[in-house]
Amino acid sequence: MSSATAPDSADLDGFEQRLRQRAMAKSHPLDTVPTDTALQPRGLIPNTPLSVAFLSFLLGSLFSVGVVLFVTNGYGQHWWSTTQLGFFIAAWSAFHWGEFAVTAGWNRDKCSVDSFLLENGALYHIAHSVALLEYLITLYFKPEWKQFPYVSLVGVVTTLVGQALRSGAMIHAGSNFSHVMAFRKAEGHTLVTDGIYRWFRHPSYAGFFYWALGTQLVLQNPVSFVFYAAVLYKFFSRRIRAEEVLLLRFFGDDYRKYKQSVGTMIPFIP
């Protein structure tokens, strides 16, 4: 007869804390409270149902404006009301709403108001602001530089493929996906290597990479396209390198074999 080893007090405390967090989330079903304390929101936006509803309303309104501009070309009323600008606004709004919606639907234990990714750092908002300024300034002074419909068409397709790739990866990974890098292996965390992960080692990163570059093709922004490519390459090369150190620690040879057989599909990042 074998004897069971009693769990230590730290394990019991951690288990009881997780139970309390889950009970709290279930008792307030409209609250967006991650069960993992490491994922608690740290931004300026309050983590409340009211904030979620308000942000969803704003993003939905922006998306609607963008779709109308995209479909009608602004009815030719103003120099700035173009199909290209409409698509950019709609794509940006859909991306941020989609990040929250997918997390809420397939990864609720990690869902909070931060899942909108609206507080994604100053550089993120600077990049989008620069892209808009480049487009509007060029459109005003040199509108003929924005008259290459096939470039924008390629951009639309690239953006949609990038969005589908990212959202599909998040859905397929489910609770194994996190917007925040995990420094410890969570309970139930498994290595996902099937589905879309058979062809992309980091499909959510590849998806955002192509989504972002696609938006700049739509706007026909040569300066921002190069700027986006450089910044995204630098960010993802560092992020992937750091993340894979942790994944090797979590999964050992299984991840090492997976890494050797599947690439990132992001240029210059093996």
Side-chain angles (χ1 to χ4, degrees), residues 92-166:
W92 185 89
S93 305
F95 170 79
H96 287 285
W97 180 84
E99 291 293 297
F100 180 88
V102 170
T103 306
W106 285 269
N107 197 5
R108 187 175 171 186
D109 283 350
K110 296 175 183 173
C111 185
S112 74
V113 73
D114 283 1
S115 301
F116 282 106
L117 296 188
L118 286 169
E119 295 183 274
N120 222 4
L123 184 59
Y124 178 80
H125 295 294
I126 289 171
H128 287 311
S129 299
V130 168
L132 280 172
L133 282 173
E134 180 185 355
Y135 177 74
L136 292 172
I137 290 171
T138 307
L139 183 68
Y140 185 80
F141 290 104
K142 292 287 185 179
E144 65 273 14
W145 290 3
K146 302 294 184 184
Q147 304 299 318
F148 301 95
Y150 290 109
V151 174
S152 289
L153 179 60
V154 170
V156 168
V157 173
T158 304
T159 302
L160 294 178
V161 168
Q163 181 67 70
L165 182 59
R166 181 171 176 85

Side-chain angles (χ1 to χ4, degrees), residues 102-103 105-110 164-179 186-198 200-205 243 247 251 258:
V102 170
T103 306
W106 285 269
N107 197 5
R108 187 175 171 186
D109 283 350
K110 296 175 183 173
L165 182 59
R166 181 171 176 85
S167 296
M170 291 172 63
I171 290 171
H172 187 71
S175 62
N176 296 294
F177 180 87
S178 177
H179 283 125
E187 181 182 351
H189 186 187
T190 59
L191 178 61
V192 181
T193 60
D194 60 345
I196 202 166
Y197 287 81
R198 290 180 181 177
F200 295 82
R201 198 164 75 245
H202 295 278
S204 65
Y205 295 162
E243 189 171 301
L247 290 169
F251 301 108
Y258 175 63

Side-chain angles (χ1 to χ4, degrees), residues 235-251:
F235 173 79
F236 283 131
S237 61
R238 289 181 174 179
R239 172 95 175 198
I240 289 172
R241 189 161 53 246
E243 189 171 301
E244 291 189 334
V245 170
L246 298 169
L247 290 169
L248 284 167
R249 184 191 306 167
F250 296 162
F251 301 108

Side-chain angles (χ1 to χ4, degrees), residues 26-143:
K26 289 179 180 178
S27 65
H28 301 283
L30 293 180
D31 287 353
T32 52
V33 182
T35 57
D36 188 341
T37 54
L39 299 175
Q40 293 296 315
R42 293 177 173 83
L44 298 176
I45 303 173
N47 186 43
T48 63
L50 177 60
S51 294
V52 171
F54 183 62
L55 290 174
S56 296
F57 172 77
L58 287 180
L59 291 171
S61 299
L62 273 176
F63 177 79
S64 300
V65 169
V67 169
V68 170
L69 274 178
F70 178 68
V71 172
T72 66
N73 199 36
Y75 298 104
Q77 295 293 316
H78 306 283
W79 64 270
W80 51 265
S81 57
T82 64
T83 291
Q84 295 162 319
L85 183 61
F87 182 85
F88 178 79
I89 293 172
W92 185 89
S93 305
F95 170 79
H96 287 285
W97 180 84
E99 291 293 297
F100 180 88
V102 170
T103 306
W106 285 269
N107 197 5
R108 187 175 171 186
D109 283 350
K110 296 175 183 173
C111 185
S112 74
V113 73
D114 283 1
S115 301
F116 282 106
L117 296 188
L118 286 169
E119 295 183 274
N120 222 4
L123 184 59
Y124 178 80
H125 295 294
I126 289 171
H128 287 311
S129 299
V130 168
L132 280 172
L133 282 173
E134 180 185 355
Y135 177 74
L136 292 172
I137 290 171
T138 307
L139 183 68
Y140 185 80
F141 290 104
K142 292 287 185 179

